[in-house]
């Protein structure tokens, strides 16, 4: 399946909760989250962002960090987490609802989705030819 995959072809994104607590400037305790992109072929962490709230903005910052370091990937693969569902990232803006059966505990589809990227270089608004 991955035989023809080259480094930087596809990045996989996820968010992880750090197993530590920190204090904000007001002395309130909170958790920190890591949103990261990993190269599917090499396993290299291409981009990341640490935040107090795992949201789409954190995902965009982590993706930008990866693009600044390694260039534009051909696709990204993300799970169905809320931080990956927004239109800004290429999601539908919501989870795909499925009809709940007795064997299902969750009312949502758990499949991830892949987002194809295109040429984002400066080509004066013209599409690839």
């Amino acid at each position: 399946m991955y035989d023809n995959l080259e480094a930087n072809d596809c990045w996989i994104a996820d968010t992880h909760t750090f197993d530590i607590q920190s204090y904000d400037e007001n002395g309130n305790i909170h958790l920190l989250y890591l949103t990261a992109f990993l190269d599917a072929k090499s396993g290299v962490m291409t981009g990341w962002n640490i935040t107090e709230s795992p949201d789409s903005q954190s995902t965009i910052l982590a993706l930008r960090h990866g693009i600044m370091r390694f260039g534009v990937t051909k696709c990204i693969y993300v799970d169905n987490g809320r931080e990956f569902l927004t239109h800004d990232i290429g999601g539908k803006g919501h989870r795909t609802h499925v009809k709940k059966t007795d064997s299902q505990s969750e009312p949502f589809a758990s499949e991830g989705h892949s987002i194809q990227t295109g040429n984002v270089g400066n080509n004066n608004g013209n599409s690839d030819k």
Side-chain angles (χ1 to χ4, degrees):
M1 178 175 180
Y2 296 106
D3 292 339
N4 296 324
L5 190 65
E6 297 291 330
N8 210 36
D9 276 354
C10 189
W11 294 350
I12 301 166
D14 207 355
T15 299
H16 174 75
T17 306
F18 283 123
D19 195 20
I20 58 171
Q21 294 178 338
S22 64
Y23 293 96
D24 65 13
E25 61 275 355
N26 298 322
N28 298 319
I29 297 174
H30 59 87
L31 295 173
L32 294 175
Y33 301 88
L34 169 70
T35 301
F37 284 84
L38 294 149
D39 180 67
K41 179 70 173 189
S42 67
V44 169
M45 188 181 296
T46 56
W48 60 86
N49 186 59
I50 297 173
T51 183
E52 297 174 14
S53 175
D55 55 13
S56 61
Q57 188 66 26
S58 179
T59 302
I60 290 170
L61 289 171
L63 179 59
R64 181 182 187 276
H65 182 239
I67 290 170
M68 295 296 289
R69 293 178 69 217
F70 295 98
V72 178
T73 182
K74 291 180 183 175
C75 77
I76 61 172
Y77 185 81
V78 297
D79 63 17
N80 218 5
R82 67 177 174 81
E83 65 271 24
F84 304 119
L85 295 176
T86 66
H87 294 285
D88 294 337
I89 299 171
K92 296 178 182 178
H94 57 82
R95 288 188 172 95
T96 303
H97 290 274
V98 295
K99 187 175 181 179
K100 187 174 178 180
T101 65
D102 292 336
S103 63
Q104 290 178 314
S105 60
E106 294 293 320
F108 303 111
S110 61
E111 298 173 3
H113 58 281
S114 176
I115 301 165
Q116 301 298 317
T117 59
N119 184 356
V120 295
N122 185 1
N123 58 5
N124 298 324
N126 297 323
S127 61
D128 288 334
K129 295 180 180 166

